Amino acid sequence: MTLDECAPASMVRCACLNVLMCPEHETEKVNMYCEICRRPVCHLCKLSGSHANHRVTTMSNAYKTLKEKLTKGIGYLISKESQVRTQITELEILIRRTESNGDRAVEEATYNFDKLFNILEGRKAFVLQSIKSSQSSRLEKLQSQLEEYQGLLENNGLVGYAQEVLKETDHSCFVQTAKQLQTRIQKASESLKTFHPAADSSFEGYLVDISKEEGLLNDLSFTKALEVPQINTDESKVYNNAKICWSQPNDSGFTDGYILEYRKLDKNQDPSWNEIEASSTSKVVSDLDLNSSYCFRVQGLRGSMCSTHSKEVILQTPPAPVFSFLFDDKCGFNKEHLMLNDRRNTVESVAGHPLLLGAERVQVGCYMCLDYIIGDAGVTKGKHFWAFSVEPYSYMVKVGVASDIKLQEWLHNPRDISSPRYDQDSGHDSGSEDVAFDSSQPFTLATIGMRKLFIPKASNVSTAYGERVLPLPVRIGVCLDYEKGKVGFYDATNMKCLYEREVDCIGTMYPAFALMGGGAIHLEEVITEKHLDYSQEILHDFER
């Protein structure tokens, strides 16, 4: 765009001088810029013209300011090119979806009206046939009664026949005929005394009342718009798969189903949304990339109607494949202090009672013992992630990894609860782990207790107390990289790494846990589309 195109229509360019001339003062060049009117002016406009009391600046300042703004605006648009392309793609999808949904709505409306027409035509045929059948039956009865009464008239029917009988002179013939005739005359006489038409001429019982239906048809319109479902961030989570849960407002009415949409937040990925249909208010999404952020949204369906999309929710996938295991109830498991549930995914510490029963051996300054429990599967290579939760009431819980070599030392060395200086976790009797944290060890345990997670202190780093104490996450994750010799502790709800350190991976590395005092640990269950009931599985095997 040239300067001529930006200038007002009344601005005149002087061909010989190649400059803009003032439209109000044709002999004057524009050499200033009015900031109020946002247009070039000459000095006479400023002195005594329409811009006398306006704020003006030099043309060079105006040039510099406008060029900076234009450059900044262009730069912003260029930096948002990927976002614009994403939005263009989304708009194209919406256009196609609008066309498809509109055509489907027309088809459904046509189908519904045709359905109403067919119902009305069917009812119309039934009602008309009922009226005609009743009319024919009534006419037949009335016509028969009419003919019967016409026979009562003189020279017609019964009366005429009776008059002829009276002329009979033969006594025997007369008596034989008159006996039957007398019965008919008597019946006709009684009929005259109690005359009733053989059929009702009124058809009031066949009137069709359409007032209610007429009102319904006049009020026939589009159904109430669907309320927007909302994704429940407390119940939704990502582990080996993503489980997305949402809720529907109570007053939204019946919903046929839902469409869950998701996409990976990566500028190199296809920005279009993936769609999954759901019949309930939750859905499991699989085949997600590790260590990636995904955006989720949902909308309700009713016939051809779609609600607007819910608020988008971003969830992070684990940094490594999920490692599945249960608690080992054989290797060093202390049945007196620890209690496992039937599924072996929850362990609870009940160490308080045995300690109190042996209280006569407890001396001043005695430390309680840690009771260790490990997973029933170990890691010998690769990178793995697992998650669990710790009950907030737990007094002390240690979580992490340990090699099979270190586990032999922990689980088979005798423990003396009467020693005031004994601490199994340190490997020595100093009562402190800090001096050992700079060198790589075949174990790493983080401490949890009193609703807090405590970051271990390195001996060569001065760390403030507040930096080492973190709120207890709802779900805690552990990520072990065997080849790199690193273990990290995560807030598994948002997959944020809280602490990472080196660990000497020797032999087989096991998920390791330790409890002291009251406490409980719950292993995170893998997310599946549908849990298989053991009774159903056994029944299926039996049937086979």
Side-chain angles (χ1 to χ4, degrees):
M1 183 177 289
T2 65
L3 190 59
D4 282 341
E5 293 172 325
C6 297
S10 57
M11 195 70 68
V12 180
R13 175 184 285 274
C14 179
C16 59
L17 298 177
N18 198 28
V19 294
L20 292 178
M21 308 301 292
C22 179
E24 298 182 10
H25 310 89
E26 298 179 356
T27 60
E28 299 294 331
K29 297 184 295 183
V30 293
N31 54 7
M32 289 180 289
Y33 184 81
C34 178
E35 296 180 345
I36 304 299
C37 301
R38 297 183 181 180
R39 55 169 293 181
V41 296
C42 69
H43 70 285
L44 292 180
C45 292
K46 174 59 179 172
L47 291 177
S48 58
S50 58
H51 304 274
N53 297 321
H54 292 183
R55 184 175 67 253
V56 298
T57 184
T58 63
M59 192 64 71
S60 60
N61 287 341
Y63 169 82
K64 181 180 179 181
T65 301
L66 292 175
K67 188 172 184 179
E68 288 178 354
K69 289 183 179 180
L70 186 60
T71 302
K72 185 177 180 180
I74 294 174
Y76 176 81
L77 293 178
I78 294 175
S79 67
K80 297 296 181 180
E81 182 177 356
S82 61
Q83 179 180 343
V84 172
R85 293 185 182 276
T86 299
Q87 293 171 347
I88 289 174
T89 302
E90 187 168 348
L91 287 172
E92 291 174 345
I93 294 174
L94 288 175
I95 289 173
R96 293 194 296 270
R97 185 176 296 170
T98 301
E99 292 175 346
S100 174
N101 290 342
D103 293 342
R104 186 166 56 182
V106 169
E107 292 177 1
E108 185 169 343
T110 302
Y111 169 79
N112 287 333
F113 276 104
D114 288 342
K115 187 176 181 180
L116 288 176
F117 294 153
N118 292 334
I119 293 174
L120 288 174
E121 287 293 338
R123 295 304 298 173
K124 176 183 177 181
F126 171 78
V127 170
L128 295 181
Q129 181 61 37
S130 299
I131 294 174
K132 289 185 177 296
S133 296
S134 178
Q135 183 187 43
S136 299
S137 175
R138 295 183 188 190
L139 290 174
E140 183 178 351
K141 292 178 180 179
L142 291 173
Q143 185 65 37
S144 175
Q145 189 180 25
L146 174 63
E147 292 174 357
E148 181 181 351
Y149 273 79
Q150 285 177 341
L152 300 180
L153 297 177
E154 188 177 359
N155 300 323
N156 289 312
L158 180 61
V159 174
Y161 176 65
Q163 289 176 343
E164 291 296 326
V165 170
L166 288 175
K167 296 178 182 179
E168 179 63 49
T169 58
D170 186 274
H171 291 185
S172 58
C173 290
F174 175 81
V175 171
Q176 182 179 1
T177 304
K179 183 177 180 180
Q180 296 179 353
L181 185 59
Q182 175 63 26
T183 302
R184 292 177 61 188
I185 291 175
Q186 184 177 0
K187 184 179 179 180
S189 299
E190 293 175 355
S191 176
L192 289 174
K193 296 176 183 178
T194 59
F195 173 74
H196 292 290
D200 187 4
S201 63
S202 173
F203 279 80
E204 292 182 357
Y206 287 83
L207 292 179
V208 179
D209 183 9
I210 64 169
S211 57
K212 181 179 178 181
E213 289 74 11
E214 186 178 12
L216 290 174
L217 290 174
N218 287 330
D219 293 336
L220 186 64
S221 61
F222 300 110
T223 58
K224 181 182 178 182
L226 286 173
E227 296 289 342
V228 182
Q230 297 298 328
I231 295 179
N232 191 324
T233 55
D234 293 332
E235 296 182 6
S236 299
K237 63 179 180 179
V238 172
Y239 193 38
N240 61 315
N241 292 319
K243 182 179 181 181
I244 310 301
C245 303
W246 57 88
S247 58
Q248 188 73 23
N250 294 329
D251 59 347
S252 61
F254 177 74
T255 302
D256 296 334
Y258 303 90
I259 293 181
L260 175 64
E261 298 181 330
Y262 67 96
R263 66 180 178 184
K264 185 178 179 181
L265 298 181
D266 187 345
K267 62 181 180 181
N268 297 324
Q269 294 289 327
D270 185 358
S272 60
W273 292 85
N274 300 292
E275 295 185 356
I276 302 178
E277 292 187 2
S279 57
S280 61
T281 55
S282 66
K283 191 68 177 179
V284 173
V285 182
S286 56
D287 300 327
L288 300 180
D289 295 335
L290 295 172
N291 199 26
S292 302
S293 295
Y294 282 85
C295 187
F296 298 88
R297 67 185 186 185
V298 67
Q299 62 180 161
L301 296 176
R302 186 194 296 156
S304 61
M305 295 176 56
C306 297
S307 72
T308 56
H309 291 99
S310 67
K311 183 179 179 181
E312 297 178 3
V313 172
I314 297 175
L315 296 176
Q316 178 77 19
T317 57
V322 170
F323 183 63
S324 298
F325 63 92
L326 297 173
F327 287 119
D328 193 336
D329 58 352
K330 299 178 179 61
C331 182
F333 177 68
N334 189 334
K335 295 182 179 180
E336 294 183 358
H337 292 176
L338 300 179
M339 182 172 62
L340 280 175
N341 66 343
D342 294 338
R343 298 175 65 184
R344 292 196 293 122
N345 62 354
T346 295
V347 61
E348 184 178 0
S349 172
V350 290
H353 291 170
L355 179 64
L356 293 176
L357 291 173
E360 64 273 7
R361 297 188 293 115
V362 176
Q363 304 298 323
V364 176
C366 172
Y367 290 135
M368 295 173 63
C369 293
L370 285 166
D371 292 296
Y372 288 91
I373 186 169
I374 63 174
D376 61 358
V379 175
T380 57
K381 63 179 180 179
K383 188 176 181 181
H384 304 274
F385 179 87
W386 59 90
F388 52 89
S389 60
V390 176
E391 286 290 346
Y393 67 80
S394 302
Y395 175 68
M396 179 184 287
V397 174
K398 293 204 171 188
V399 298
V401 295
S403 69
D404 51 357
I405 299 174
K406 187 64 179 178
L407 287 169
Q408 292 295 327
E409 176 187 341
W410 282 344
L411 301 177
H412 295 288
N413 282 351
R415 290 173 287 183
D416 182 8
I417 67 171
S418 63
S419 171
R421 304 295 295 168
Y422 187 84
D423 185 357
Q424 290 178 311
D425 192 37
S426 65
H428 52 83
D429 64 351
S430 67
S432 174
E433 291 180 328
D434 294 345
V435 296
F437 271 83
D438 286 336
S439 60
S440 181
Q441 296 289 336
F443 67 93
T444 291
L445 298 174
T447 304
I448 296 169
M450 301 177 68
R451 302 176 184 268
K452 303 292 182 183
L453 187 147
F454 297 86
I455 302 299
K457 178 182 177 182
S459 60
N460 62 341
V461 178
S462 178
T463 308
Y465 170 81
E467 297 176 0
R468 294 182 55 200
V469 181
L470 303 176
L472 176 63
V474 176
R475 296 161 56 232
I476 303 166
V478 175
C479 184
L480 174 64
D481 192 328
Y482 192 94
E483 279 72 22
K484 292 185 178 181
K486 289 186 177 181
V487 61
F489 297 86
Y490 285 73
D491 181 342
T493 302
N494 52 28
M495 297 300 169
K496 178 183 178 182
C497 185
L498 305 175
Y499 167 66
E500 186 180 59
R501 66 157 292 186
E502 295 182 354
V503 61
D504 190 6
C505 293
I506 301 175
T508 303
M509 302 296 291
Y510 288 88
F513 307 84
L515 298 93
M516 185 173 73
I521 303 171
H522 309 281
L523 297 180
E524 181 81 356
E525 294 188 16
V526 296
I527 300 174
T528 58
E529 183 68 33
K530 186 176 183 181
H531 291 285
L532 178 63
D533 186 77
Y534 285 112
S535 60
Q536 294 178 353
E537 186 177 11
I538 294 173
L539 180 61
H540 179 65
D541 292 339
F542 177 79
E543 291 175 347
R544 289 189 298 174

